[in-house]
Amino acid sequence: NYYNAILKIKGKALADRKTTLFASINGKDVYIQVHTAANSSDSRSYRIEVVEVEQMQQDIIINLEEALDSDGKVALYGILFDTDKSTIKPESEKALQQIIDYLNTNPKVNIIIVGHTDMTGEFSHNMKLSKDRAEEIKDYLIKTGKIDSSRLESNGVGPLCPVSTNEKDDGKTLNRRVEIVKKLK
């Protein structure tokens, strides 16, 4: 019955015994394993395992205070911009709020906001873009977080400090980041 139902929705069996099945249901890849009751006294019972494949949601929580105290800087990947623009995307709010909370909890700490880009495009353009993005973050912290401007500096280093190769998309993604640096007095 399970096999026939999967075939009706254009699925398929992944094994000869027709007990391992696959289908795309509501846009999700779904794998089904049907186990018969070989060890049960009731030969009519079954155990069904269903696995729905979804994009992994990875929320990395960074303790800014620990990172800044131990390393003097922290890379933030949750601050997002449209390609080739310095306008902060709304989904960046959570990461920006972390900075605001940290600065409010540590009123004597000053920081430098450093923008980074990958190596795609002209060097001079990336330098300007990274500076503009860092400045946008600074303005956000001042306006939204009510952080005193004297506690904040911003700068951009474009593609000069990569943390990975720029030859692969994953590396480029890691290189496009914002770093918060604890400023020494």
Side-chain angles (χ1 to χ4, degrees), residues 11 22 35 58 60 70 76 78-79 91 95 99 106 135 146 156-157 160 173 182:
F22 167 81
H35 301 277
Q58 185 173 359
I60 300 173
S70 67
L76 300 175
I79 301 175
E91 55 266 35
I99 301 169
N106 299 279
E135 187 66 26
K146 308 292 187 228
V157 295
L160 293 176
T173 298
K182 189 174 186 179

Side-chain angles (χ1 to χ4, degrees), residues 140-183:
Y140 181 95
L141 297 176
I142 293 167
K143 291 175 186 163
T144 305
K146 308 292 187 228
I147 305 298
D148 189 308
S149 63
S150 66
R151 298 178 60 198
L152 308 171
E153 284 184 36
S154 63
N155 212 330
V157 295
L160 293 176
C161 301
V163 292
S164 186
T165 179
N166 278 286
E167 295 172 4
K168 297 179 181 175
D169 287 339
D170 290 347
K172 287 181 181 183
T173 298
L174 290 173
N175 291 334
R176 293 188 298 262
R177 67 195 185 282
V178 172
E179 288 186 351
I180 303 300
V181 180
K182 189 174 186 179
K183 187 176 176 189

Side-chain angles (χ1 to χ4, degrees), residues 30-182:
V30 178
Y31 295 86
I32 301 168
Q33 179 74 50
V34 181
H35 301 277
T36 58
N39 296 332
S40 172
S41 60
D42 181 5
S43 63
R44 295 174 293 161
S45 66
Y46 296 89
R47 187 183 74 206
I48 311 296
E49 293 179 36
V50 178
V51 176
E52 292 183 16
V53 179
E54 290 185 8
Q55 184 76 19
M56 184 173 126
Q57 177 67 31
Q58 185 173 359
D59 293 325
I60 300 173
I61 305 297
I62 295 174
N63 184 319
L64 286 179
E65 189 161 9
E66 284 179 17
L68 290 172
D69 285 347
S70 67
D71 299 331
K73 67 177 184 172
V74 62
L76 300 175
Y77 291 95
I79 301 175
L80 306 173
F81 304 88
D82 285 327
T83 301
D84 208 28
K85 295 183 181 173
S86 60
T87 304
I88 300 169
K89 287 186 167 188
E91 55 266 35
S92 306
E93 187 177 322
K94 193 173 187 180
L96 292 165
Q97 189 60 48
Q98 279 187 291
I99 301 169
I100 292 167
D101 292 345
Y102 169 77
L103 290 171
N104 284 332
T105 304
N106 299 279
K108 293 185 180 185
V109 173
N110 297 337
I111 63 169
I112 305 168
I113 304 151
V114 184
H116 296 263
T117 65
D118 61 29
M119 289 186 179
T120 304
E122 294 290 322
F123 177 80
S124 59
H125 178 74
N126 284 333
M127 291 298 291
K128 180 177 180 341
L129 181 61
S130 64
K131 288 178 184 182
D132 290 347
R133 287 177 172 180
E135 187 66 26
E136 280 290 316
I137 294 167
K138 178 181 171 183
D139 290 346
Y140 181 95
L141 297 176
I142 293 167
K143 291 175 186 163
T144 305
K146 308 292 187 228
I147 305 298
D148 189 308
S149 63
S150 66
R151 298 178 60 198
L152 308 171
E153 284 184 36
S154 63
N155 212 330
V157 295
L160 293 176
C161 301
V163 292
S164 186
T165 179
N166 278 286
E167 295 172 4
K168 297 179 181 175
D169 287 339
D170 290 347
K172 287 181 181 183
T173 298
L174 290 173
N175 291 334
R176 293 188 298 262
R177 67 195 185 282
V178 172
E179 288 186 351
I180 303 300
V181 180
K182 189 174 186 179

